[in-house]
Amino acid sequence: MIPIHEHAALDEREVEFDMIRAQGAGGQNVNKVSSAVHMRFDVRASSLPEDLKAAVLASGDRRISKDGVVVIKAQVHRSQEKNRAEALERLVALLRQAARPVKPRKATRPTRASQQRRVQRKVTHGRVKQLRGRVGEE
């Protein structure tokens, strides 16, 4: 069990690993050895708390499919074990990010100086646009 936060932990038995050949440069090692890892984690079928499941699915991460399956591919390292560990680290980071509570926004008013700067920028921009106009007899 990998702890996510004080009320949730990830059961490693729920994570599915497929070993595949890595892409890109690497010569004979890449061509012959299946060192890349394709990891799948079904969020909906997992033992995570319901609020964490909802937060993960609502996060909008591109690694989460419509079916609620997190797919992570790790192929940076030459060894299968290191790629497997990295994929698991990325999954835990994704879950911890979703478990972090959303900080409520406090409404603030703009300062007088910032309002004056905004108005001054608008006036300057208006003058520039006015100078772009047709040259006429004045």
Side-chain angles (χ1 to χ4, degrees), residues 80-137:
Q80 201 176 82
E81 293 81 24
K82 287 182 181 178
N83 283 329
R84 182 181 166 122
E86 184 184 344
L88 208 52
E89 283 175 23
R90 285 197 232 160
L91 175 63
V92 169
L94 175 77
L95 295 175
R96 285 186 179 148
Q97 180 69 31
R100 193 173 294 150
V102 178
K103 197 174 181 181
R105 183 186 179 279
K106 293 180 186 176
T108 59
R109 295 182 63 191
T111 62
R112 180 171 287 165
S114 69
Q115 288 175 347
Q116 289 173 347
R117 284 192 300 267
R118 187 182 122 264
V119 171
Q120 187 58 43
R121 276 195 304 268
K122 287 177 72 167
V123 168
T124 306
H125 191 64
R127 284 192 192 125
V128 168
K129 290 173 85 64
Q130 195 174 25
L131 289 172
R132 291 183 192 151
R134 218 175 267 216
V135 179
E137 295 177 24

Side-chain angles (χ1 to χ4, degrees), residues 57-104:
L57 294 172
S59 69
D61 196 291
R62 62 179 175 81
R63 297 172 289 187
I64 302 172
S65 70
K66 289 179 226 167
D67 302 328
V69 178
V70 179
V71 180
I72 296 176
K73 182 179 180 183
Q75 62 179 10
V76 175
H77 303 287
R78 288 175 59 110
S79 75
Q80 201 176 82
E81 293 81 24
K82 287 182 181 178
N83 283 329
R84 182 181 166 122
E86 184 184 344
L88 208 52
E89 283 175 23
R90 285 197 232 160
L91 175 63
V92 169
L94 175 77
L95 295 175
R96 285 186 179 148
Q97 180 69 31
R100 193 173 294 150
V102 178
K103 197 174 181 181

Side-chain angles (χ1 to χ4, degrees), residues 6-85:
E6 61 269 2
H7 301 296
L10 173 66
D11 189 1
E12 290 185 59
R13 294 175 293 189
E14 296 175 347
V15 180
E16 181 182 317
F17 292 97
D18 293 325
M19 307 313 166
I20 56 174
R21 288 190 186 150
Q23 297 173 328
Q28 191 172 5
N29 188 58
V30 166
N31 297 335
K32 295 180 81 173
V33 181
S34 297
S35 61
V37 174
H38 212 195
M39 186 187 72
R40 298 173 148 277
F41 175 68
D42 191 355
V43 176
R44 292 191 175 116
S46 68
S47 62
L48 296 174
E50 291 300 320
D51 58 337
L52 182 56
K53 286 182 189 181
V56 170
L57 294 172
S59 69
D61 196 291
R62 62 179 175 81
R63 297 172 289 187
I64 302 172
S65 70
K66 289 179 226 167
D67 302 328
V69 178
V70 179
V71 180
I72 296 176
K73 182 179 180 183
Q75 62 179 10
V76 175
H77 303 287
R78 288 175 59 110
S79 75
Q80 201 176 82
E81 293 81 24
K82 287 182 181 178
N83 283 329
R84 182 181 166 122

